Amino acid sequence: MSASSAFNDEKGGSSSVGEPEYGHDPASGGIFSSDYKRHDDLKEMLDSNKDSLKLEAMKRIVAMIARGKNASDLFPAVVKNVACKNIEVKKLVYVYLVRYAEEQQDLALLSISTFQRGLKDPNQLIRASALRVLSSIRVTIIVPIMMLAIKEAASDMSPYVRKTAAHAIPKLYSLDPEQKDQLIEVIEKLLADKTTLVAGSVVMAFEEVCPERIDLIHKNYRKLCNLLIDVEEWGQVVIINMLTRYARTQFLNPNINESLLEEGSGGDKTFYGSDEDEDEDEEEKEKNAEAPAMAKRKPYVMDPDHRLLLRNTKPLLQSRNAAVVMAVAQLYFHLAPKAEVGVIAKALVRLLRSHSEVQYVVLQNVATMTIKRRGMFEPYLKSFYIRSTDPTQIKVLKLEVLTNLANETNISTILREFQTYIKSMDKDFVAATIQAIGRCATNIGEVRDTCLNGLVQLLSNRDELVVAESVVVIKKLLQMQPEKHSDIIKHMAKLTDNIQVPMARASILWLIGEYCEHVPKIAPDVLRKMAKSFTNEEDIVKLQIINLAAKLYLTNSKQTKLLTQYVLNLAKYDQNYDIRDRARFIRQLIVPTEKSGALSKYAKKLFLALKPAPVLESPFKDRDHFQLGSLSHLLNAKAGGYQELPDWPEAAPDPSVRNVEVKDSVFTLLERVTTLTSVPEWTKCSSREKRKEKKVEKPFYSDSEGESGPTESADSESDSASGSESGSGSEESGSGSESVESEEGSESEEEEEDEEEKNKKKKKKELKKPVQESESEQSSEEEERKPERKSKQRKSDSESESDEEESESESSQSESEDSESEAEIKKKKKAAESKPPTKPVKKENKKEKKEMSLLDLDDFEPAPSPQVTPVNTFLSNSLVTDLEGLSLSDTVLSPATIAPSSALKNYELLHRITGEGLSVEYCFSRQPFSPDANMVAVQMQFTNNATSDTKNLHMEDVKLQSGMRVKEFPEIELLPAGETAAAVMGIDFCDSTQAANFQLCTHTKKFFVSIQPPVGELMRPIFLTENEFKKEQGQLMGMNEITEKLTLDAKCRNEHAIVQRVTTAANLSRVPCGSDKECRFAGRTVTSSSLVLVTVATKEEGAAQLTVNCEKMLIGTMLVKDILLALTQ
Amino acid sequence: MIHSLFLVNASGDIFLEKHWKSVVSRSVCDYFFEAQERATEPENVPPVIPTPHHYLISVLRHRIYFVAVIQSEVPPLFVIEFLHRVVDTFQDYFGVCTEAAIKDNVVVVYELLEEMLDNGFPLATESNILKELIKPPTILRTMVNTITGSTNVGEQLPTGQLSVVPWRRTGVKYTNNEAYFDVVEEIDAIIDKSGSTITAEIQGVIDACVKLTGMPDLTLSFMNPRLLDDVSFHPCVRFKRWEAERILSFIPPDGNFRLLSYHVSSQNLVAIPVYVKHNITFREGSSQGRFDLTLGPKQTMGKAVESVLVSSQLPRGVLNANLNPSQGTYTFDPVTKMLSWDVGKINPQKLPSLKGTMSLQAGASKPDENPSINIQFKIQQMAISGLKVNRLDMYGEKYKPFKGIKYMTKAGKFQVRT
């Protein structure tokens, strides 16, 4: 307590300056009684009805927690507020709860039900945060609940919730390791997830829970590689580190041949002559050239998956995140063929510009790398030069790197640089420099003498530390060739008068003793002097004096016998028992007495044995058995939880385990759409010509065409690799989020286009090549593909509901139901879908009712005026277009008449179980909302299934994204049991698919609900002539245009069906068109009136092309997805 | 991964703690304090300190140590980079990242930390997303909040994380649509005693301030992209496009961000814009030393060298300096022995100089070390590498934005050895 009160005093001082909040702080009083009183104060505030008071109280409590004060006694008061409406209060309560739940488990259980309710919320973000907090409460009793919640969330339709589920896994695991098996199942499931959002988190969970289950990765390996570039940066680090380990177990050592050819650093140089990353082809040639030399061995061929990993991680060297760069660097260091490791040097050197902590870690790793692969950092030598402003620890590490980099060619520059360092004011650094010089001298024979001379000059330095360090280093150097340097030994003997640093004195004495035969005259004199000062010396010096005396006694007993006796006598009574022991031992050994044993005969051999020169080596030697970039590597000790980097396998395990059977094609298409948003379409259009040229230049791109372009297949890299290569070939796909094989279908479409062009060119050139050939080629290709695709579809159909939902949520989270995945709803939904003919009738009935009620309501509020008039204009308008259309083609059906009647899809707003009897459905009526033209009209249908009446049905507490507006429906005063009522509300979605959240209130209850529009409902039909359409379309080219190829569902090959499906998916109107191969639709977004143009061009056999032109790129991309879905299912 | 975080101020007090997993006693910081005592300078505290049960990974920013407690293997850079991101976020939110600012906003800090890490694993670190979750405090908002009792926490849950462009928030609106780009180049150089360049390289960044409505898609191209040797990008930049065409194509985050940092290829000779004539001598036996420094412009392409600041750590033996600047002011701190001279703008006609004597400790021998001189300067409207932006185009939105590009050259780690 005393410590904390001192802490308080300190706080008290500062609190008066700039933080009034702290003045009131209950904990800053410091006296117990007032402390309790203040806490009562807080409790009172927490119990009050006012949110502002609660918030104030929570803020103070959080401030207490932040400063490490104990606030646990407030637990009951705080936990009550867990269901508070105010978001900030709620969040702060969560903070408190997570902090103290462990201490007050029983009370914490009170809050669980709130989170359980949150898990069922229709809003994905609320579900996510409920799971987050629930899993953070470390109360063992709720483990089963957590397990259940995680399992459910893992199959949630929202990727964000699934991400949270992945985060929750390690939490539960640390709480109860017994759950491991079940958790692994969840991890396995989540690993199969295809969204970038989930990938990083689940791999993190994998690493914490079951890093040994490497087999779980097989099926997901290629997907992870391909997703990698789009994963958020922290996830990238985790995935890369895991894949490094994976690759070590699955692939062969790419350097297996080289390691046999040349060992050590000498051979490196030829390899790293140029630091640029060598072309793959070159590398291949190199391999081929080596092959004859390695005739006995099987030539090494890199596994295409291994190559895939290397290629997909390389762009990440350009990341702004140092951790990602380091992760890639270590991956290359551990996995890449020697010739390719060089690419990482540049990126690592770049990191040296970063914060000093980053430099510290990077330099440690660079130091390890420079020992193994000196060549790759040699061009960057100057980047490691030291500035006087660097912190000492950075200086020392840079010095280490410079020393490692030193070789015959650059040693002179390095030594010159070292010379300036010696003059530095930072003495620790100077000492390190002298050590470094010593190491350079031992490693490079040519400069040994120069270094030695330099060091000897330092002996006359004024700074004692410098001299001492030099002595120590010289001692080590002299051991290599003592006979040559007796003058230096003499010089050093003279220094004993001046040098006071014990280590240096000890070193000199040892040197003189060891090489006393080189300085026979001086040695006894030194001993004389030392004997005089013996009592005042430090312990290590005393020990060396005894050693010196012993050695001299053995070689020159005449002169030194008495001195030795004297020294040994002094030592006998020394305070240090070490010295006393040494003296006794030596006396027995060297002074011949009758008692002395056989050993004394060998005394000379013992003392003057030839000692091997010490090897000065880097402390970073052999550190690379730790995975680089890891904590263990940095500390050079195994940290807890460190996963050893396995050795390369002797023979590669079966690579086919990574094959993934082809799955849903719909998803593929959707993926492509999303990637299109991140990579602009105009690139493709405008620069197609350019790209073609590039393709010729770059061998990389030609790979993808290896299969189709017969001319290029000859020089494409390697056949085995080309399959996986196709991913990188297309730059549009943003490094390919596709999973190789399964995506080939969609990939090739683009290629086809290019190919087509190419073919055309070829035709022009060759003139003779018949047109049909190329086309038949294509069509045959297509035919081959078709059955495959169909099977894909069938599979995806039979795929569990979750998959479908996943893709839906991907597209726009159009459906907000499902939070409760009760089979009932699904059945309903399915039934509704499967019975289209009966449905419209029902709806029409409903509609009539609605309209009636609307008319009634008009008396109360002017808001939703009768929609008859606009409908009329709507229809008449369509008539005009129909007439226009008629002249062009008589088969055109009036789209407008189809659209509103059949397209209305009902969505559930409130299920009758959650609504406790009240069920609410809504649909987008597709009729102009007359009070505000910018709003989308939403028709709601309330049904009271309960036995009692519901009163005062109205909405409250509308929560919207900025810019969005809502026109509430008029209050329904009474809804008798069993009755149904309808109302219309308007929502301005601002052309986004953000959900509008609000509360539906009855006289007793409140329900949180949200309405999220499918993108197709965000527009209203407009009428354009064909010419207008073409004109507008011409203005919306480039990135505003999105084109997709698709295969039409068997049931919708005719025009009528297409029109119906498109108008069902989106509120658009048909544009008359001369050709029966094309269907065109037009509309404007409701809020911003941006044009939306849709074209479906059909070709034979169900192939079709969908084009959407829209100023709003996001709307466009989402619309493409929706229409695709509508047309392909 | 990250277990707990402690914030330690310069005097060694823990003034904030946050735990993401079970609570770690603050006594674990004792190991850190030990290391801090051993280190002579504040920046010499090792970033990674092993203790019997934990590992402490710390960064020092704005004289505050951010000490993260780790229990098991984790890439140290991962933690360090994250801690720096935390500091950047604080700076972004509060303008400064000082002890006082953190204490004033302790609740916002807590809320931020809560969002940034989940169970020790980074969750939302993108500033655009965080700002949607938790609104940064401004004076106006603080006032409004105290009156109305409303909060800093966003009413709406953010959408950015769910979209395909996680770094940009949706529904951005501005009346003036503007996009500014600052090309800032820094020269790192070591000049030796005789004035010849030992090493010199140019590091540049392009910082952007983009305030554009909607979802703009920008492309920025250079006249001479070949100059760029090594680049690192904000995640918004499309890498493939850069690889293929050397064009930066991106949907920008809203507000300020660093688009790109680059290194100019070392093959190009670096023009050194200033030269220094120096004569710093100490005589044996005398308690006086001479100090003589003259600066001059060199290779500046006609642009003025501004905001010149010269600093030098004089040897420990120097007691005081009695100098006479021809322009600007100088200060000498007798405790740290730091001499700094604020020169201002260099006038090529009348070169600035600083002359005078230094008094040494009586009887002490002459210091044999030579102080090195650090120089800071700025040159406006010039990128020393010659990098030029060719054009900036916007797609995806209809309006015409206001575009601006500014060039500047600065001294980075520019050191002259004497």
Side-chain angles (χ1 to χ4, degrees), chain A residues 440-476:
Chain A
C440 287
T442 45
N443 296 340
I444 302 161
E446 287 92 327
V447 291
R448 196 168 292 148
D449 289 345
T450 336
C451 288
L452 207 50
N453 287 335
L455 289 171
V456 170
Q457 273 168 29
L458 282 180
L459 292 178
S460 50
N461 193 295
R462 201 171 292 111
D463 192 284
E464 202 175 56
L465 267 169
V466 175
V467 179
E469 201 66 41
S470 314
V471 169
V472 176
V473 174
I474 289 173
K475 180 199 111 184
K476 289 179 183 165

Side-chain angles (χ1 to χ4, degrees), chain A residues 812-878:
Chain A
S812 64
Q813 274 97 38
S814 59
E815 269 142 324
S816 56
E817 64 252 79
D818 168 83
S819 67
E820 22 191 292
S821 52
E822 287 163 52
E824 212 179 322
I825 306 170
K826 275 181 192 164
K827 264 186 218 158
K828 250 194 187 176
K829 223 166 96 185
K830 270 183 190 162
E833 277 165 3
S834 63
K835 286 185 225 163
T838 56
K839 194 82 184 182
V841 186
K842 256 195 203 165
K843 266 182 195 160
E844 259 160 34
N845 286 344
K846 274 183 202 164
K847 224 189 195 172
E848 270 170 29
K849 262 189 199 167
K850 272 175 209 160
E851 261 159 37
M852 267 168 62
S853 62
L854 278 174
L855 284 169
D856 294 343
L857 290 166
D858 272 353
D859 300 340
F860 303 111
E861 204 168 294
S865 70
Q867 281 133 0
V868 189
T869 38
V871 169
N872 277 348
T873 57
F874 185 62
L875 282 173
S876 64
N877 257 340
S878 68

